[in-house]
Amino acid sequence: MRVIAGRFRGRRLLSMEGMQTRPILGRMRQRLFDILQGQVEGRVFADLYAGTGSVGIEALSRGAKAAMFVESSTRAAGLIRRNLELVGAADQAHVRQAPVSEAIDKLDADIYFLGPPYEAIREYASTLAALARRPAQWVIAQHPKQLVLAEQYGSLRRVRVVRVGSNCLSMFRHELPESDPTE
């Protein structure tokens, strides 16, 4: 697995064997950052259920000011730290080894990306509901195309779904409250 574009372009990232993590395919990462083009630079990016950290590292490569990685697996969190050292971005990152549900209220990011492991289907609803209480420019969920996420979680409204192979990116933004015409 390699970084696709930006200042770390072409750098090889370490990955884990088995199904403990679900690495995002290169073409899915490419599509994600094509959509976010110009919106990552100078922002704080949170990579939840981070696995190898490839999405957050791609964000750093493309100009994110900082990245936060949340991963419950001790082994995967160590791998993220090694990948950050390999590309020279450890000083721009914070890796938190904890379940996302425990860490989410302490995060402050502009863009949140989540892609829970295959067996953690229930994590989508609870994580999206928790992120509805966090200020953010974007909340993006990678999920199997067979899984249909709700249109709305609290103030988060789905604004776009992008299909790539057998996966989708569901993109959410906070819905602005309608102004009262009597005011």
Side-chain angles (χ1 to χ4, degrees), residues 1-4 13 22-26 28-30 32-33 36 40 45-62 64 66-69 80 83-84 111-115 140 142 169:
M1 176 172 31
R2 293 183 185 273
V3 177
I4 297 167
L13 300 176
R22 175 175 49 144
I24 184 171
L25 298 174
M28 180 70 83
R29 256 185 303 134
Q30 179 70 48
L32 169 65
F33 286 99
L36 293 176
V40 173
F45 193 96
D47 187 352
L48 309 180
Y49 310 92
T52 63
S54 66
V55 178
I57 291 170
E58 190 76 40
L60 289 170
S61 183
R62 294 174 186 244
M68 295 179 282
F69 300 83
I80 294 166
N83 279 333
L84 287 163
I111 302 169
Y112 291 88
F113 176 84
L114 60 130
I140 303 154
Q142 176 195 0
L169 293 172

Side-chain angles (χ1 to χ4, degrees), residues 77-92:
L79 181 69
I80 294 166
R81 288 183 183 96
R82 287 197 309 272
N83 279 333
L84 287 163
E85 289 170 10
L86 280 173
V87 299
D91 61 333
Q92 289 181 270

Side-chain angles (χ1 to χ4, degrees), residues 5-128:
R7 66 185 173 137
F8 307 137
R9 182 181 181 175
R11 299 268 184 93
R12 184 177 294 278
L13 300 176
L14 302 172
S15 59
M16 289 177 43
E17 296 291 322
M19 294 293 285
Q20 185 177 5
T21 63
R22 175 175 49 144
I24 184 171
L25 298 174
R27 63 188 173 135
M28 180 70 83
R29 256 185 303 134
Q30 179 70 48
R31 187 75 175 112
L32 169 65
F33 286 99
D34 284 351
I35 293 166
L36 293 176
Q37 187 174 27
Q39 298 181 60
V40 173
E41 193 168 339
R43 304 276 196 259
V44 176
F45 193 96
D47 187 352
L48 309 180
Y49 310 92
T52 63
S54 66
V55 178
I57 291 170
E58 190 76 40
L60 289 170
S61 183
R62 294 174 186 244
K65 173 175 59 176
M68 295 179 282
F69 300 83
V70 180
E71 174 55 53
S72 62
S73 162
T74 304
R75 189 168 153 231
L79 181 69
I80 294 166
R81 288 183 183 96
R82 287 197 309 272
N83 279 333
L84 287 163
E85 289 170 10
L86 280 173
V87 299
D91 61 333
Q92 289 181 270
H94 176 72
V95 180
R96 175 107 191 255
Q97 192 266 306
V100 169
S101 61
E102 291 177 14
I104 206 160
D105 288 336
K106 298 170 185 85
L107 300 177
D108 187 17
D110 301 300
I111 302 169
Y112 291 88
F113 176 84
L114 60 130
Y118 290 117
E119 72 278 358
I121 288 295
R122 290 190 194 109
E123 295 283 323
Y124 286 98
S126 61
T127 302
L128 288 165

Side-chain angles (χ1 to χ4, degrees), residues 122-164:
R122 290 190 194 109
E123 295 283 323
Y124 286 98
S126 61
T127 302
L128 288 165
L131 288 172
R133 298 185 299 268
R134 310 291 309 153
Q137 182 180 1
W138 285 103
V139 174
I140 303 154
Q142 176 195 0
H143 58 91
K145 70 179 180 182
Q146 299 84 358
L147 176 64
V148 178
L149 298 178
E151 290 282 328
Q152 193 161 353
Y153 295 89
S155 66
L156 283 178
R157 178 170 292 284
R158 188 173 61 208
V159 296
R160 185 172 183 183
V161 177
V162 178
R163 287 175 178 69
V164 178

